[in-house]
């Protein structure tokens, strides 16, 4: 009888879900895909896809010969803001556009005076140095 009980306990332990034993994360609710339109690459490399999920995530892309692509991604943040990104990828590189992307300052921006002074000082040093002499040859360790 003890052997039967022990076999039943072992069988139950073996049948237990691994996630319950090892604390695997809860993956949340299942999100349905409400649109999945795809045109696989043709002989010339052209393709398209348009995917949308029930929680509002949307991804579109089209591409063609030479690796040229354009598309968009959109979703809603938990605070209600809608993230939207359009992109083009071609021989000039990847060019995303979105109000959520950081923007570099416009150039030319004003250069601080201390930077201009340092540039002028370095130019004067270069002008005083004999031709062919590098700055590393003129350095002497203070310990010698």
């Amino acid at each position: 009888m003890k052997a039967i009980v022990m076999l039943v306990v072992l069988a139950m332990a073996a049948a237990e879900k691994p996630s319950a034993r090892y604390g695997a994360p809860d993956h949340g609710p299942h999100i349905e895909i409400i649109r999945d339109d795809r045109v696989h690459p043709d002989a010339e490399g052209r393709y398209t896809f348009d995917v949308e999920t029930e929680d509002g995530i949307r991804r579109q892309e089209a591409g063609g010969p030479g690796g040229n692509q354009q598309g968009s991604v959109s979703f809603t943040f938990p605070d209600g803001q809608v993230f939207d990104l359009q992109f083009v990828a071609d021989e000039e590189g990847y060019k995303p556009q979105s109000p959520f992307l950081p923007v570099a300052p416009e150039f030319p921006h004003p250069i601080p005076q201390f930077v201009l002074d340092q540039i002028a000082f370095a130019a004067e040093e270069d002008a005083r140095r004999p031709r062919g002499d590098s700055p590393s040859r003129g350095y002497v360790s203070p310990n010698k």
Side-chain angles (χ1 to χ4, degrees):
M1 184 67 168
K2 288 182 185 180
I4 293 175
V5 171
M6 184 58 97
L7 286 174
V8 169
V9 169
L10 286 174
M12 289 175 61
E16 185 180 9
K17 290 183 180 180
S19 62
R21 275 187 290 186
Y22 301 112
D26 178 19
H27 295 290
H30 178 74
I31 307 298
E32 292 291 326
I33 296 174
I34 58 176
R35 180 182 18 250
D36 188 356
D37 298 328
R38 298 173 190 245
V39 175
H40 293 283
D42 62 14
E44 295 176 7
R46 289 187 299 257
Y47 70 94
T48 63
F49 68 84
D50 183 0
V51 178
E52 186 174 1
T53 61
E54 69 179 333
D55 62 352
I57 297 173
R58 186 160 185 191
R59 175 79 165 87
Q60 297 174 299
E61 185 174 314
N68 295 334
Q69 302 169 347
Q70 64 273 343
S72 65
V73 177
S74 66
F75 60 88
T76 303
F77 286 109
D79 67 0
Q81 293 184 77
V82 176
F83 176 86
D84 192 29
L85 173 104
Q86 275 79 42
F87 68 88
V88 173
D90 57 20
E91 57 277 345
E92 295 178 10
Y94 179 72
K95 297 176 285 265
Q97 293 182 342
S98 172
F100 286 91
L101 296 177
V103 178
E106 289 190 31
F107 196 83
H109 56 278
I111 299 174
Q113 188 58 46
F114 75 91
V115 173
L116 295 172
D117 294 343
Q118 185 64 39
I119 292 170
F121 178 74
E124 290 171 12
E125 278 190 328
D126 287 345
R128 287 194 300 262
R129 186 178 316 117
R131 290 247 177 229
D133 194 15
S134 71
S136 62
R137 291 184 188 154
Y139 176 76
V140 177
S141 172
N143 297 330
K144 290 189 177 185

